[in-house]
Amino acid sequence: MGVVAVDGKIYAIGGTTELGYEPSSVVGTNECYDPGSDMWTTLEPMPTPRTNFAIATYEGKIYCIGGYTAEQVPPYSPISVIEVYDIATNSWSTKTSMPVEGAMYACVVNGNFFVMTKYDLFMYDPVEDFWTQKTFMPQKISISPSSEPHSVSVVVDDKIVVTGYFEGIHSEPKTRIYDPATDVWSEGSAPAKPYWFNLNCAGVTTGVYAPQSVYVLGGTSEGITELSNQVYDPVGDTWAFAKDMSAYRCQFGVVVINDILYVVGGHYTDGVVVSTNEQYIPMGYNGTLSLVTSPSVIPETSNLSSSIYLIAAILVIIVGTLGTGLFFYSKKSKQ
């Protein structure tokens, strides 16, 4: 599933409805979450259902790049097509395909998209609709048999931070940093927890309401779903741990709005799909409570339980109020 934030709203697009290779499980669903109203809205679906695609946004439009369809079982079939969702018109269009098939990540720096596969790096100009090849990563990203990457990427101060496992004689955790201005890769410190983490996601706080940090969340380790929350300080080039996620899951989406992280969807290691939408207040957060809401689940899961709790709470208040009134009335009558 691809997740991005545009103008304070979250868009969750595509992905799978189950862990596996069944063609029917790959979807083009397009849903929008408004943190202000805590409501989800279903929008025009993506024309080409896919998973493991790159997603990025520019000037009110959402670009879904490459990825994998389920035309072959197994594995997924890599594609290079770009489909663009226009939020204003609730419609899709097609742009020039990526030079190679696949795609894992897309990061936006100064209006250009930097799209990575397991090794390639391409720059896409959304205005000119033109692709340029850039310097390859020094090592290939490790990829699972079902095409999921063992790494994540974010943008920090106009540089792209890629952290996770990379191929070698033995796959090893590393942090790679790409500077688009110089087209040069450098290396940062390795993640704090040296396990094989896969199917996790990351978000970066800006420093406005919380210290600037990269949060690497969840994923799997040797087939076991993790609650892990690792934090990378890009200035000090150091790693630490923060509060674990409250729900086990992997292959979810992460977006950051006002330095608050939203963790959307995903599944457990055994393939059970979840529609949970969690909110994480990062370390050192100094924003106002008005920025914080209690996010609902995505539409596939009913909000019935939340409604029941709300009704129950109202009934308790009513009964309590009536009981207090009757008590004082009875006492007064006796006097």
Side-chain angles (χ1 to χ4, degrees):
M1 175 177 62
V3 179
V4 292
V6 183
D7 294 332
K9 295 182 180 179
I10 299 170
Y11 294 81
I13 303 175
T16 61
T17 57
E18 62 186 68
L19 181 61
Y21 298 97
E22 293 300 322
S24 61
S25 71
V26 179
V27 297
T29 309
N30 180 10
E31 294 161 335
C32 175
Y33 174 70
D34 184 347
S37 62
D38 190 28
M39 296 289 291
W40 285 90
T41 304
T42 300
L43 304 170
E44 184 68 19
M46 181 167 53
T48 305
R50 66 184 91 175
T51 186
N52 296 341
F53 56 94
I55 188 168
T57 179
Y58 178 73
E59 293 191 346
K61 296 180 180 180
I62 300 172
Y63 292 71
C64 298
I65 306 168
Y68 296 80
T69 66
E71 294 178 359
Q72 300 178 17
V73 185
Y76 291 138
S77 302
I79 60 174
S80 59
V81 64
I82 300 180
E83 290 171 338
V84 183
Y85 176 68
D86 188 327
I87 296 173
T89 62
N90 188 31
S91 62
W92 290 85
S93 60
T94 301
K95 297 295 183 179
T96 300
S97 295
M98 190 171 67
V100 298
E101 296 176 330
M104 298 300 169
Y105 313 109
C107 294
V108 182
V109 179
N110 295 324
N112 289 314
F113 298 174
F114 291 85
V115 183
M116 287 166 276
T117 65
K118 64 182 296 184
Y119 183 60
D120 299 299
L121 175 64
F122 293 92
M123 184 181 76
Y124 175 71
D125 183 335
V127 176
E128 299 296 330
D129 189 27
F130 185 78
W131 288 92
T132 305
Q133 188 166 19
K134 310 301 285 187
T135 299
F136 295 153
M137 279 186 285
Q139 285 177 277
K140 293 182 179 180
I141 296 171
S142 294
I143 304 293
S144 75
S146 53
S147 304
E148 292 97 354
H150 293 159
S151 61
V152 294
S153 70
V154 294
V155 176
V156 179
D157 292 334
D158 292 339
K159 295 182 181 179
I160 299 171
V161 177
V162 184
T163 186
Y165 268 81
F166 292 80
E167 292 183 357
I169 298 176
H170 301 288
S171 291
E172 53 188 344
K174 287 183 177 292
T175 299
R176 300 289 192 184
I177 302 169
Y178 176 73
D179 186 347
T182 60
D183 191 28
V184 171
W185 289 90
S186 59
E187 187 168 346
S189 62
K193 190 173 182 180
Y195 65 78
W196 183 274
F197 65 119
N198 177 24
L199 307 180
N200 51 358
C201 288
V204 59
T205 49
T206 64
V208 176
Y209 298 108
Q212 188 180 61
S213 300
V214 178
Y215 288 82
V216 181
L217 301 159
T220 63
S221 174
E222 298 180 349
I224 304 300
T225 309
E226 291 278 346
L227 293 173
S228 176
N229 181 4
Q230 299 189 63
V231 187
Y232 176 65
D233 175 3
V235 177
D237 189 31
T238 57
W239 287 85
F241 291 98
K243 184 177 178 60
D244 284 349
M245 292 197 303
S246 58
Y248 287 95
R249 52 181 158 154
C250 56
Q251 208 170 14
F252 44 85
V254 173
V255 296
V256 181
I257 299 176
N258 294 324
D259 280 347
I260 297 172
L261 280 71
Y262 291 81
V263 183
V264 184
H267 58 73
Y268 298 113
T269 308
D270 60 6
V272 176
V273 175
V274 297
S275 56
T276 310
N277 178 13
E278 288 184 288
Q279 185 185 74
Y280 172 64
I281 311 302
M283 297 186 300
Y285 180 79
N286 61 7
T288 61
L289 292 179
S290 63
L291 295 175
V292 183
T293 61
S294 298
S296 67
V297 297
I298 54 180
E300 285 77 8
T301 298
S302 171
N303 286 328
L304 179 60
S305 59
S306 298
S307 300
I308 291 174
Y309 288 133
L310 177 60
I311 293 171
I314 294 172
L315 288 174
V316 168
I317 294 172
I318 293 173
V319 171
T321 303
L322 289 174
T324 303
L326 289 172
F327 172 80
F328 284 110
Y329 176 81
S330 176
K331 186 175 180 180
K332 183 176 181 182
S333 297
K334 290 179 180 180
Q335 293 175 345

